[in-house]
């Protein structure tokens, strides 16, 4: 299996609290991505990274921030969690652009109450 | 901007029947196209991808897809469904002409849940 792990796998948090999700890879891939999955919406890109300290916003970035201080770790932070951020979050990695495609982590199921 | 549409959020077939999952893309140039499968409580796995080398692409588990430029389609098929094929399937697209500026971003369709009846 590709070396990509997400933590935690499940989390319940209260509205208004900050939450950080972690994605860790052992593949030394340059590109990393955070998506959220919601019924009827497929997967939507939150943020992505194209190198250490190089990140940019995706289509649903409001309320989220990211950091990548080293190649292997990509952190997603919900600055002040809201119920609309209840979702399944997936991290993905890719070794290049174009036709490489992604390898996905197993996901984090986040519930905001 | 790239977009992809999967026709039918739910598809139900009998075991042994043909599986056809539809995907249409919106792009001014032929993009790279992917099909992923997601089993319950798991991440997504790559089934197959189109990269312009051949219009008929074979993937894992007996699935294949045909790229049709004139129809802007990349439908996924399997001749004979198996119970283990029950899962959610996602079509995705990336822009080959954006080069490095695309950063490899994929745009996903809404997903199609495949149910297989005995």
């Amino acid at each position: 299996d590709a070396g990509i792990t997400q933590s935690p796998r499940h989390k319940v948090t209260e509205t208004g609290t900050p939450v950080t999700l972690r994605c860790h890879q052992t593949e030394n891939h340059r590109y990393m991505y955070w998506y959220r999955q919601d019924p009827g919406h497929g997967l939507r890109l939150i943020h992505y990274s194209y190198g250490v300290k190089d990140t940019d916003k995706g289509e649903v970035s409001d309320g989220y921030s990211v950091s990548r201080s080293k190649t292997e770790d990509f952190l997603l932070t919900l600055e002040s969690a809201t119920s609309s951020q209840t979702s399944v979050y997936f991290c993905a990695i890719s070794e290049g652009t174009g036709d490489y495609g992604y390898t996905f982590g197993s996901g984090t199921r986040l519930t905001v109450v | 901007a790239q977009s992809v549409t999967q026709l039918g959020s739910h598809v139900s077939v009998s075991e042994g029947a043909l599986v056809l999952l539809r995907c249409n893309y919106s792009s001014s140039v032929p993009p790279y196209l992917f099909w992923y499968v997601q089993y319950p409580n798991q991440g997504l796995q790559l089934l197959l991808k189109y990269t312009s080398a051949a219009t008929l692409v074979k993937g894992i588990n007996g699935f294949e897809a045909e790229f049709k430029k004139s129809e802007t389609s990349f439908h996924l098929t399997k001749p004979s469904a198996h119970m283990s094929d029950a899962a959610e399937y996602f079509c995705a697209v990336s822009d080959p002409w954006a080069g490095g500026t695309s950063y490899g971003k994929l745009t996903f369709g809404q997903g199609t849940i495949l149910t297989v009846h005995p």
Side-chain angles (χ1 to χ4, degrees):
Chain A
D1 288 348
I4 175 171
T5 55
Q6 292 183 233
S7 59
R9 289 296 312 277
H10 301 272
K11 186 172 182 65
V12 179
T13 192
E14 293 187 349
T15 298
T17 61
V19 177
T20 296
L21 309 182
R22 181 184 186 230
C23 179
H24 178 78
Q25 61 144 329
T26 58
E27 303 296 315
N28 201 36
H29 286 348
R30 178 181 175 186
Y31 300 92
M32 300 185 75
Y33 312 86
W34 277 107
Y35 283 82
R36 58 178 290 174
Q37 182 181 19
D38 304 288
H41 292 277
L43 280 78
R44 293 178 291 175
L45 182 64
I46 306 172
H47 280 279
Y48 62 98
S49 171
Y50 46 96
V52 174
K53 299 190 187 303
D54 292 323
T55 64
D56 205 349
K57 297 177 180 180
E59 64 177 305
V60 290
S61 60
D62 287 349
Y64 301 95
S65 62
V66 290
S67 67
R68 192 169 178 198
S69 59
K70 45 188 178 178
T71 299
E72 57 266 37
D73 288 326
F74 192 32
L75 304 180
L76 176 70
T77 297
L78 287 66
E79 296 146 3
S80 178
T82 67
S83 58
S84 65
Q85 294 176 311
T86 293
S87 186
V88 180
Y89 292 85
F90 285 100
C91 177
I93 60 175
S94 179
E95 62 182 304
T97 61
D99 65 348
Y100 284 91
Y102 292 170
T103 300
F104 282 88
S106 299
T108 295
R109 183 173 296 276
L110 177 68
T111 303
V112 183
V113 298
Chain B
Q2 297 277 347
S3 68
V4 59
T5 301
Q6 292 183 238
L7 300 177
S9 58
H10 291 81
V11 170
S12 180
V13 301
S14 298
E15 192 172 20
L18 171 71
V19 175
L20 171 60
L21 305 182
R22 300 178 186 274
C23 173
N24 288 89
Y25 66 90
S26 172
S27 173
S28 57
V29 295
Y32 296 126
L33 293 156
F34 306 82
W35 275 101
Y36 286 86
V37 60
Q38 183 183 32
Y39 299 104
N41 300 312
Q42 294 186 25
L44 283 73
Q45 304 172 32
L46 180 66
L47 267 180
L48 50 80
K49 63 181 178 181
Y50 168 73
T51 61
S52 77
T55 56
L56 183 62
V57 181
K58 295 186 184 298
I60 61 172
N61 300 337
F63 284 93
E64 62 182 38
E66 185 173 8
F67 173 74
K68 292 188 176 180
K69 181 180 177 181
S70 61
E71 299 177 8
T72 60
S73 69
F74 190 57
H75 301 331
L76 182 70
T77 60
K78 183 174 181 178
S80 177
H82 192 272
M83 296 295 289
S84 61
D85 294 326
E88 188 163 15
Y89 293 80
F90 292 92
C91 184
V93 61
S94 72
D95 186 352
W97 294 100
T101 62
S102 77
Y103 302 111
K105 291 179 289 182
L106 295 185
T107 300
F108 287 84
Q110 303 93 320
T112 298
I113 296 172
L114 175 66
T115 303
V116 183
H117 296 287

